[in-house]
Amino acid sequence: MALIVQKYGGKSVATPELLKEVAARIIKTKRAGNQVVVVVSAMGNTTDNLIEKAMQVNPEPEVRELDMLLACGEQEAVALLAMAISAQGEPAVGFTGPQAGIHTDGKFGKAKITRIYPNRVQSALEQGKIPVIAGFQGIAGESDIATLGRGGSDLTAVAIAASIKADVCEKYTDEEGVYTANPKLVKDARKLEVISYDEMIELSSLGAKVLQARSVLFAKKHNVPIRVRSSMSDDPGTLITKEVKGMEQAVVSYVIPSKNEAKVTIVGVPDKPGIAALVFGKLAEKEISVDMIIQNVSEAGKTDITYTVAKSDYKEAIKVSESLKKEIGAREVKGDDKIGKISVVGVGMRSAPGIAATMFSALAEKGINIEMISTSEIRISCVIDEKHLDTAVKVLHEKFELGKRQPGA
């Protein structure tokens, strides 16, 4: 008998009919001899609809009050799913995040889990019931509801799995697992049977919507296996786990594009100590996260600093840079919000030379110019013109033969 945490996203429970189908899947898992704990997101577009209502009432609501509102979405889904399970013959009990013992810090809207007391969840399991827990939320201080940020239900599921020492955390989506590329764009994209925590962390940070990055980091820290599966089939999906030797045989596992990129260049900056610290310090004060940074070779005591940010931060980044122009003695500020980022990811890159050269030559053959480059131990990312992103994905997927089954995969 296994102890399984199942997490269902908003699309999987978007309607009463889908809720009933999910309930049937949960019951099937339990009747196969397992103990099951369920974490659920708000139904369909509920969260977006609640945010829209809040904006109609107050365009700048207090974050605490917004958290109180948004937490209602998951609570609705919990109650309805528990009812659907009970209607099909298995006892179920619903819990809000606070009722499930999830405690957070007081940073409303992006709270971090500080500890979990899963006593009530474990008691329900001992009584033969199926606990259904609201994702995305916990209790801050004595009694305030705080949300964990977008994708926070993934974090809830992994954290609950860690606290009750579950054998696996299953994340159900509308895809059958993690693919070598977006299967809607690349026809021969292949579903991966297993990938490492580090690869999934990279993919999530690059914009893959399979799992929230924080949830994978938590899973890695507490060694919680995650299985990404479809709520529409019985396919075993993709297992996300600690790195194993066989993974190294697949040099590149995934190609991922991002259109959420913008570039800012501060031209003619005096090349002297403290300038970069001032620029990026001011950006940090505005809570603008910077991705790539390039500083050109100095000429006549002047240099250019180029950095990339999320498109949502582009206008503010330009404003901050313009405000600094006179103070640091720069000549001008230029921006470009029509760029994209193409990345290849794979644990095998650690011990395989020539990956960068292969990637760059493949892009060059298609006339795709590379504007910026950044790397990690298992990732190479290039900034290119946004209009070339789809072509770049297909070219690199073919170049690294990701449509073919890798040795040992």
Side-chain angles (χ1 to χ4, degrees), residues 314-366:
Y314 176 62
K315 290 182 179 179
E316 186 66 22
I318 288 286
K319 188 186 299 183
V320 170
S321 298
E322 285 283 1
S323 70
L324 285 169
K325 184 172 67 174
K326 186 176 181 180
E327 182 179 349
I328 63 178
R331 189 166 71 246
E332 65 174 316
V333 174
K334 298 191 295 186
D336 183 359
D337 63 351
K338 302 298 182 185
I339 63 169
K341 182 167 65 178
I342 185 72
S343 305
V344 295
V345 177
V347 292
M349 292 167 60
R350 290 184 176 128
S351 56
I355 301 303
T358 301
M359 181 180 186
F360 302 159
S361 63
L363 295 175
E365 287 169 9
K366 290 295 181 179

Side-chain angles (χ1 to χ4, degrees), residues 169-230:
C169 177
E170 297 181 339
K171 160 72 184 285
Y172 284 87
T173 73
D174 54 351
E175 296 286 354
E176 292 192 341
V178 182
Y179 286 76
T180 51
N182 184 347
K184 295 174 183 175
L185 178 62
V186 181
K187 291 182 179 179
D188 64 341
R190 179 174 54 84
K191 182 172 69 67
L192 299 166
E193 294 178 9
V194 59
I195 65 172
S196 70
Y197 291 125
D198 287 341
E199 286 173 310
M200 194 67 242
I201 290 166
E202 289 282 8
L203 294 178
S204 297
S205 66
L206 290 167
K209 296 180 180 179
V210 179
L211 281 164
Q212 183 206 48
R214 285 167 61 194
S215 70
V216 191
L217 284 164
F218 197 103
K220 179 183 178 182
K221 180 178 179 181
H222 296 278
N223 197 24
V224 177
I226 304 174
R227 190 172 286 279
V228 178
R229 305 183 62 181
S230 169

Side-chain angles (χ1 to χ4, degrees), residues 44-352:
N45 296 321
T46 297
T47 300
D48 290 336
N49 292 337
L50 289 172
I51 292 173
E52 185 178 343
K53 288 179 181 178
M55 295 303 109
Q56 290 172 358
V57 174
N58 182 349
E60 296 182 359
E62 291 292 331
V63 186
R64 178 188 179 278
E65 311 311 320
L66 190 60
D67 272 10
M68 286 185 64
L69 175 66
L70 298 184
C72 297
E74 274 69 21
Q75 292 175 30
E76 174 193 39
V78 160
L80 290 173
L81 183 54
M83 292 176 192
I85 293 170
S86 298
Q88 294 183 38
E90 287 290 341
V93 56
F95 297 106
T96 65
Q99 288 171 338
I102 300 172
H103 290 253
T104 74
D105 61 22
K107 295 180 180 177
F108 298 108
K110 50 182 178 182
K112 292 183 179 179
I113 294 175
T114 55
R115 60 193 184 280
I116 297 179
Y117 299 111
N119 306 45
R120 296 185 69 181
V121 175
Q122 290 170 324
S123 177
L125 285 170
E126 290 167 2
Q127 295 170 38
K129 298 178 181 178
I130 298 174
V132 184
I133 302 169
F136 180 61
Q137 60 184 253
I139 184 170
E142 293 295 323
S143 58
D144 284 328
I145 291 178
T147 66
L148 308 177
R150 281 291 189 178
S153 292
D154 290 347
L155 179 57
T156 301
V158 172
I160 287 289
S163 71
I164 63 175
K165 295 180 171 54
D167 295 291
V168 66
C169 177
E170 297 181 339
K171 160 72 184 285
Y172 284 87
T173 73
D174 54 351
E175 296 286 354
E176 292 192 341
V178 182
Y179 286 76
T180 51
N182 184 347
K184 295 174 183 175
L185 178 62
V186 181
K187 291 182 179 179
D188 64 341
R190 179 174 54 84
K191 182 172 69 67
L192 299 166
E193 294 178 9
V194 59
I195 65 172
S196 70
Y197 291 125
D198 287 341
E199 286 173 310
M200 194 67 242
I201 290 166
E202 289 282 8
L203 294 178
S204 297
S205 66
L206 290 167
K209 296 180 180 179
V210 179
L211 281 164
Q212 183 206 48
R214 285 167 61 194
S215 70
V216 191
L217 284 164
F218 197 103
K220 179 183 178 182
K221 180 178 179 181
H222 296 278
N223 197 24
V224 177
I226 304 174
R227 190 172 286 279
V228 178
R229 305 183 62 181
S230 169
S231 56
M232 310 294 180
S233 76
D234 292 324
D235 190 281
T238 299
L239 178 65
I240 302 165
T241 185
K242 60 185 178 182
E243 188 176 326
V244 296
K245 187 176 180 181
M247 291 179 179
E248 295 183 0
Q249 297 177 20
V251 177
V252 172
S253 298
Y254 200 98
V255 180
I256 179 169
S258 172
K259 294 183 179 180
N260 183 35
E261 311 292 329
K263 181 175 69 172
V264 179
T265 300
I266 307 177
V267 181
V269 177
D271 190 9
K272 61 183 183 181
I275 296 295
L278 177 61
V279 170
F280 295 108
K282 290 292 186 183
L283 291 168
E285 287 176 11
K286 295 293 184 180
E287 297 189 351
I288 297 173
S289 295
V290 175
D291 184 13
M292 299 185 190
I293 302 171
I294 290 178
Q295 182 169 322
N296 294 342
V297 176
S298 178
E299 285 189 23
K302 298 283 186 177
T303 187
D304 298 342
I305 297 176
T306 301
Y307 62 90
T308 63
V309 296
K311 275 188 178 173
S312 58
D313 290 327
Y314 176 62
K315 290 182 179 179
E316 186 66 22
I318 288 286
K319 188 186 299 183
V320 170
S321 298
E322 285 283 1
S323 70
L324 285 169
K325 184 172 67 174
K326 186 176 181 180
E327 182 179 349
I328 63 178
R331 189 166 71 246
E332 65 174 316
V333 174
K334 298 191 295 186
D336 183 359
D337 63 351
K338 302 298 182 185
I339 63 169
K341 182 167 65 178
I342 185 72
S343 305
V344 295
V345 177
V347 292
M349 292 167 60
R350 290 184 176 128
S351 56

